[in-house]
Amino acid sequence: MTNKAKEDAEKRNAAAVAQCLAEHTFPPKLGGWEFFKSIGSPKHVIAPMVDQSELAWRILSRRYAADLCYTPMFNAKLFAKDVKYRDEHWAGLKDGLGGGGPNDRPLIVQFCANDPEYLLQSALLVAPYCDAVDINLGCPQHIARRGHYGSFLMEDWPLISSLISTLHKNLPIPVTAKIRVFPEAEKTVEYAKMVVAAGAQILVVHGRLREMKGHLTGVADWEKIRLVREAVGHLVPVIANGNILYHEDIANCIEKTGCAGVMSAEGSLYNPAIFTPGHPESWRLAEEYLTICDELDTKIAYVRGHLFKIFRPSLNVHVDLRSELGLANSREAMWEVTRTLKKRLIEDEEKSRQSGESFEGRKDEQGFPILPHWVAQPYFRQPMPSQDQKATSAKKDEDQEQDSKAASTKRSADESGHRDSEDHTNSTVKNKNTMSEKERNRVKNKKAKYAATKCQNGKGCNNAFSATCSFHRCRGCCRQYQREIERYDCPSHGIRSMQKEMRSRLPRVDSDEAIGGVALEGMIVGSAAASFVAPVVESEGQEPKPAERCLIL
């Protein structure tokens, strides 16, 4: 950027700031620990989550001891330029609604950006209705790579410094930042120092690498967070993010890192009461959330996503309600699913109590508590297999394929040699009595091939399947399979156009409730596809084994 371009940008920034200050009144701008204390020294923080930390969820979280909440991440350029995008993500901005109300403070609004001017324009729009503006420097998703923001700015320190310093110098409220760590502890500490020097007044450190996402999430490195806190904690508050699965992890994290607070993202989605002791019934949390959504007219897609996470362990037991929730396209329908599931869970709890079953002190093989399916609890991703495991598995598959080819060649030779025989049909068929011992062992040892994280289409697709997919397939394979079986109700990959077409074929009835009942009878009831994962069987005629539970770490 030339000097003249910089001067023009500074003039536009100054004009935008002057207009904001003329229209709104702001308290004195504080920084660092003074700012942190002014918002109540928050210890429990709800992370910014796209389409998931909306106003209704923030209100629910605050009822369960969340001290500070972040909005979902907004795209700064779109927020500044596109009125439709802005109204969709912050309804009633001109009226101060959609955030910043009496039930939603303290609040930090997060933006992703790679242009300081657009970032400032967006920040000025929300400044009157929040306590600080945060810059996302930690998003690891592919869309962040394409858009050049989030954690894919980690190598561009001058741009990061420019983004933070522009807000620090011009914005009437503080600027904060959320970062990820580098593989090297020393580089992570230097990176944190640069971010703080540029003007960040609170630093959130997610203790995972940029590559650690999805099934590669792994365990956050609290030691690196501790080193960052030791380096910059005397200047600004440092908040730790990562590995908060249970309420007990909060105190453990603060003890190990020395941070001022902890931030929870995925842990709070599966248990919005994670900042309070115990594990409340999932249906209680769902009812409370739905009540808030009724008052705020929350997007159906947001509500459905939250209910799937709150009810995840319950839907693994009552699988018939999984498709019903996926097809629910109104809050009334979601209330109906919630009431039905509530009734069943209360019955399950009563049966467990009467049978004398106890979960007190029970732990799985990894040392995690075993909890009943009717309470809110964390979700563990199963890690991807190591490179050594992949190589071993590939070698085993290759050997089996070679054995299969050799057996096929031998059968072809046998058939060719007996083609002129009167009894050639019987001669070419081998039963167990005529098989060699080696061949019998090979058939006996063949097992259902079940890849816990790969698409289960049975055709060798190597994509990972969605955790909420009814058929445990990737998006493309799932939609193709739905067309084959003429069912379009997968919660993750449902084909809405086909759902509408199917509904249009149903008999006409008088009420919406009756329409829903007919649709469910015609499309869902009796379907086993959502009830279990059908493993891929290597040999015909072998009875598949039930799919094992897929844990998420």
Side-chain angles (χ1 to χ4, degrees):
M1 183 181 289
T2 63
N3 291 333
K4 186 176 186 308
K6 290 182 180 179
E7 292 176 0
D8 292 342
E10 290 177 356
K11 289 180 181 178
R12 290 192 296 270
N13 290 343
V17 172
Q19 180 179 353
C20 179
L21 294 176
E23 296 175 353
H24 303 279
T25 302
F26 295 90
K29 184 176 178 179
L30 303 176
W33 284 100
E34 287 187 350
F35 167 64
F36 189 72
K37 292 175 182 178
S38 71
I39 58 175
S41 299
K43 180 180 177 182
H44 304 147
V45 184
I46 294 295
M49 296 172 284
V50 175
D51 294 344
Q52 295 179 107
S53 59
E54 82 286 354
L55 178 58
W57 191 256
R58 299 196 299 268
I59 292 176
L60 176 66
S61 300
R62 293 181 194 278
R63 292 181 181 179
Y64 290 93
D67 303 317
L68 169 65
C69 293
Y70 283 62
T71 67
M73 179 193 74
F74 304 138
N75 184 300
K77 185 175 182 179
L78 292 176
F79 200 91
K81 295 179 62 177
D82 191 337
V83 176
K84 183 178 179 180
Y85 176 89
R86 190 162 60 239
D87 290 342
E88 178 182 355
H89 289 82
W90 192 305
L93 178 62
K94 293 181 180 179
D95 302 319
L97 302 175
N103 296 324
D104 195 30
R105 300 296 282 269
L107 176 70
I108 295 181
V109 178
Q110 188 187 68
F111 289 103
C112 65
N114 55 26
D115 184 295
E117 187 171 357
Y118 282 127
L119 176 60
L120 179 60
Q121 291 175 13
S122 297
L124 288 170
L125 289 173
V126 301
Y129 315 115
C130 63
D131 297 279
V133 169
D134 184 78
I135 301 177
N136 183 320
L137 301 175
C139 180
Q141 304 303 326
H142 291 297
I143 191 173
R145 180 194 292 273
R146 293 197 300 269
H148 190 53
Y149 60 79
S151 65
F152 295 95
L153 297 181
M154 289 176 69
E155 288 75 27
D156 196 345
W157 291 17
L159 176 56
I160 290 176
S161 179
S162 176
L163 292 169
I164 297 174
S165 61
T166 297
L167 294 192
H168 180 56
K169 294 174 183 176
N170 297 284
L171 199 64
I173 60 176
V175 57
T176 66
K178 184 174 184 288
I179 66 173
R180 284 198 172 217
V181 299
F182 285 93
E184 306 84 10
E186 296 79 7
K187 189 172 183 180
T188 299
V189 171
E190 292 304 314
Y191 180 46
K193 288 180 178 179
M194 180 274 296
V195 170
V196 171
Q201 303 305 307
I202 292 179
L203 183 64
V204 178
V205 183
H206 188 167
R208 291 184 173 92
L209 306 178
R210 178 170 59 200
E211 297 74 21
M212 297 172 70
K213 57 187 177 181
H215 288 279
L216 295 175
T217 296
V219 179
D221 191 339
W222 284 354
E223 177 60 19
K224 288 178 182 175
I225 299 178
R226 183 187 67 80
L227 293 174
V228 169
R229 195 271 310 165
E230 289 182 348
V232 302
H234 62 290
L235 300 173
V236 299
V238 177
I239 296 175
N241 181 208
N243 299 351
I244 306 301
L245 302 174
Y246 300 93
H247 178 72
E248 295 75 17
D249 295 329
I250 298 172
N252 190 24
C253 179
I254 292 177
E255 179 183 355
K256 295 289 180 62
T257 64
C259 288
V262 297
M263 173 180 283
S264 176
E266 196 167 73
S268 69
L269 291 177
Y270 292 95
N271 179 13
I274 192 170
F275 293 132
T276 61
H279 297 272
E281 291 93 341
S282 55
W283 57 266
R284 292 185 188 276
L285 296 171
E287 285 187 334
E288 191 169 0
Y289 174 64
L290 284 171
T291 301
I292 297 172
C293 291
D294 288 342
E295 298 173 357
L296 298 176
D297 195 25
T298 306
K299 281 187 177 182
I300 296 299
Y302 297 173
V303 181
R304 184 188 297 110
H306 283 302
L307 291 182
F308 264 114
K309 290 181 173 62
I310 293 175
F311 283 138
R312 187 180 189 283
S314 305
L315 293 174
N316 286 339
V317 176
H318 300 281
V319 292
D320 58 308
L321 295 179
R322 190 173 183 176
S323 295
E324 290 193 29
L325 181 56
L327 282 177
N329 56 6
S330 67
R331 282 193 300 277
E332 292 74 14
M334 293 180 188
W335 266 111
E336 185 61 31
V337 174
T338 299
R339 294 188 187 101
T340 302
L341 188 52
K342 170 186 176 180
K343 181 179 179 181
R344 296 188 189 181
L345 295 180
I346 292 176
E347 292 175 353
D348 292 345
E349 185 175 4
E350 180 61 23
K351 289 178 182 178
S352 175
R353 185 187 64 79
Q354 291 179 357
S355 66
E357 184 179 18
S358 175
F359 292 89
E360 186 70 27
R362 292 177 59 183
K363 296 183 181 296
D364 61 17
E365 61 277 4
Q366 295 177 317
F368 293 112
I370 296 177
L371 300 171
H373 63 269
W374 52 82
V375 302
Q377 54 193 275
Y379 179 37
F380 297 90
R381 278 195 186 84
Q382 182 173 346
M384 294 288 283
S386 65
Q387 293 300 321
D388 292 340
Q389 289 176 322
K390 288 182 180 179
T392 302
S393 177
K395 182 66 168 58
K396 183 178 180 181
D397 291 343
E398 184 179 350
D399 291 344
Q400 290 177 345
E401 184 178 357
Q402 290 177 353
D403 289 344
S404 177
K405 288 181 178 178
S408 177
T409 302
K410 187 175 185 303
R411 285 194 300 270
S412 298
D414 289 341
E415 291 173 6
S416 177
H418 291 83
R419 190 168 297 152
D420 296 330
S421 172
E422 293 181 359
D423 201 21
H424 72 277
T425 302
N426 294 331
S427 303
T428 57
V429 179
K430 274 193 173 185
N431 56 35
K432 290 185 178 180
N433 294 328
T434 60
M435 283 184 180
S436 67
E437 183 178 354
K438 181 178 180 180
E439 288 173 322
R440 284 198 299 270
N441 290 336
R442 185 183 299 131
V443 172
K444 180 179 178 181
N445 291 333
K446 281 193 175 182
K447 296 181 179 179
K449 184 178 178 183
Y450 175 72
T453 58
K454 287 186 178 180
C455 173
Q456 302 295 303
N457 70 344
K459 300 177 182 178
C461 178
N462 290 322
N463 293 330
F465 65 70
S466 170
T468 57
C469 176
S470 296
F471 309 105
H472 282 227
R473 285 165 163 79
C474 66
R475 180 178 179 181
C477 294
C478 178
R479 292 196 165 184
Q480 180 179 354
Y481 181 67
Q482 289 180 74
R483 291 187 175 95
E484 292 174 359
I485 64 174
E486 296 188 354
R487 281 189 53 233
Y488 312 100
D489 55 354
C490 175
S492 294
H493 311 123
I495 307 176
R496 293 186 179 180
S497 60
M498 297 305 299
Q499 291 177 17
K500 292 180 180 178
E501 182 178 339
M502 292 292 289
R503 293 191 184 101
S504 67
R505 301 176 187 173
L506 298 173
R508 183 176 182 84
V509 289
D510 295 333
S511 67
D512 291 340
E513 181 178 357
I515 292 174
V518 173
L520 290 176
E521 181 179 358
M523 298 173 63
I524 299 172
V525 174
S527 169
S531 301
F532 66 94
V533 180
V536 181
V537 180
E538 293 184 350
S539 59
E540 294 183 4
Q542 181 178 349
E543 183 179 355
K545 295 185 178 181
E548 297 176 356
R549 182 180 62 178
C550 180
L551 297 179
I552 292 199
L553 186 64

